[in-house]
Amino acid sequence: QQQVKQSPQSLIVQKGGISIINCAYENTAFDYFPWYQQFPGKGPALLIAIRPDVSEKKEGRFTISFNKSAKQFSLHIMDSQPGDSATYFCAASKGDTDKLIFGTGTRLQVFP
Amino acid sequence: EPEVTQTPSHQVTQMGQEVILRCVPISNHLYFYWYRQILGQKVEFLVSFYNNEISEKSEIFDDQFSVERPDGSNFTLKIRSTKLEDSAMYFCASSELAGSYNEQFFGPGTRLTVL
């Protein structure tokens, strides 16, 4: 019930293409869904986050789509760039705790 | 830009030895966390800490683990008697406020290798 399932494990995209990473959860008490970006040798850094009261949040080229009934959320990276090559983690938490439950990560490679 | 720092970047130890991993959270942050990531696996929560007390801990955080804020700037994770399975990347994080909506800032991690 505490798990967050993430797919795909790895993703190769051409420059300018759309990268899509999907996550699913079971615990309906989760109320915060952040995405973290991690470059080699660095810690995860918050990229974008959403709460379940909205179905979509966009920040620049990054969009989270949230489907509450399906208990799924996804990250879309528009116009993917080589600089976006990193590992992306979805996560979830619930309001009475700071504990982040992470997905297994997706290694994105964007080729020129 | 303020950042969380961690030392050392890589620690190699023998099984059964004690290790202390050090973190310097962002200066005005009050909430501190340790996570770990076994190679190729997901990042897992270990413990959260506020006001010199553990707020929450996971099943991983057993009696072999302890945390401390020995002074106004450092936050440490101690593993008393390391096991092979403790080999992982350990991330420290901090946040200004509590609650799931507040961003946790992660350090670069300490890679712990237990031989």
Side-chain angles (χ1 to χ4, degrees):
Chain A
Q1 261 239 328
Q2 290 280 34
Q3 280 190 336
V4 177
K5 296 181 181 178
Q6 183 172 348
S7 63
Q9 192 172 7
S10 64
L11 183 60
I12 299 173
V13 172
Q14 200 96 34
K15 180 183 174 183
I18 302 173
S19 304
I20 301 175
I21 305 170
N22 300 299
C23 284
Y25 64 97
E26 288 295 323
N27 190 343
T28 54
F30 287 146
D31 60 359
Y32 176 66
F33 302 90
W35 284 89
Y36 279 80
Q37 179 188 55
Q38 184 182 27
F39 292 105
K42 301 283 188 181
L46 180 66
L47 185 63
I48 186 173
I50 197 168
R51 299 185 195 185
D53 52 346
V54 296
S55 59
E56 185 175 281
K57 183 173 181 181
K58 186 174 181 179
E59 289 183 2
R61 296 184 294 108
F62 301 91
T63 300
I64 300 178
S65 296
F66 186 81
N67 186 330
K68 190 173 182 178
S69 60
K71 292 184 281 187
Q72 295 175 347
F73 58 110
S74 58
L75 176 69
H76 296 235
I77 306 174
M78 311 300 286
D79 186 26
S80 299
Q81 300 296 312
D84 297 329
S85 297
T87 299
Y88 292 80
F89 293 95
C90 63
S93 68
K94 48 184 180 159
D96 62 348
T97 174
D98 300 342
K99 176 171 68 177
L100 289 169
I101 308 296
F102 282 88
T104 48
T106 296
R107 187 179 173 210
L108 172 66
Q109 294 174 278
V110 182
F111 285 95
Chain B
E1 186 175 322
E3 58 182 15
V4 176
T5 59
Q6 290 185 243
T7 54
S9 57
H10 191 190
Q11 173 93 46
V12 181
T13 190
Q14 294 290 326
M15 190 170 57
Q17 294 296 303
E18 174 183 289
V19 295
I20 298 176
L21 310 183
R22 292 183 166 78
C23 167
V24 179
I26 293 172
S27 61
N28 64 330
H29 287 187
L30 300 176
Y31 300 85
F32 314 113
Y33 314 89
W34 283 101
Y35 291 81
R36 80 172 185 189
Q37 183 180 26
I38 295 173
L39 187 64
Q41 298 186 25
K42 64 182 178 182
V43 177
E44 299 175 288
F45 171 83
L46 292 178
V47 66
S48 58
F49 188 86
Y50 168 69
N51 200 26
N52 283 320
E53 288 184 351
I54 290 174
S55 307
E56 186 175 2
K57 60 183 181 178
S58 71
E59 309 85 48
I60 303 167
F61 195 89
D62 61 21
D63 291 345
Q64 294 300 312
F65 292 86
S66 63
V67 288
E68 192 179 31
R69 187 153 164 82
D71 52 43
S73 59
N74 289 282
F75 178 50
T76 62
L77 174 69
K78 182 194 290 186
I79 309 175
R80 288 190 183 82
S81 179
T82 49
K83 304 172 192 162
L84 295 175
E85 54 265 36
D86 293 329
S87 294
M89 180 73 86
Y90 287 81
F91 293 106
C92 172
S94 69
S95 66
E96 188 176 359
L97 300 170
S100 63
Y101 304 149
N102 294 290
E103 180 177 357
Q104 293 180 24
F105 293 80
F106 284 76
T110 292
R111 179 168 298 285
L112 176 65
T113 302
V114 182
L115 302 176

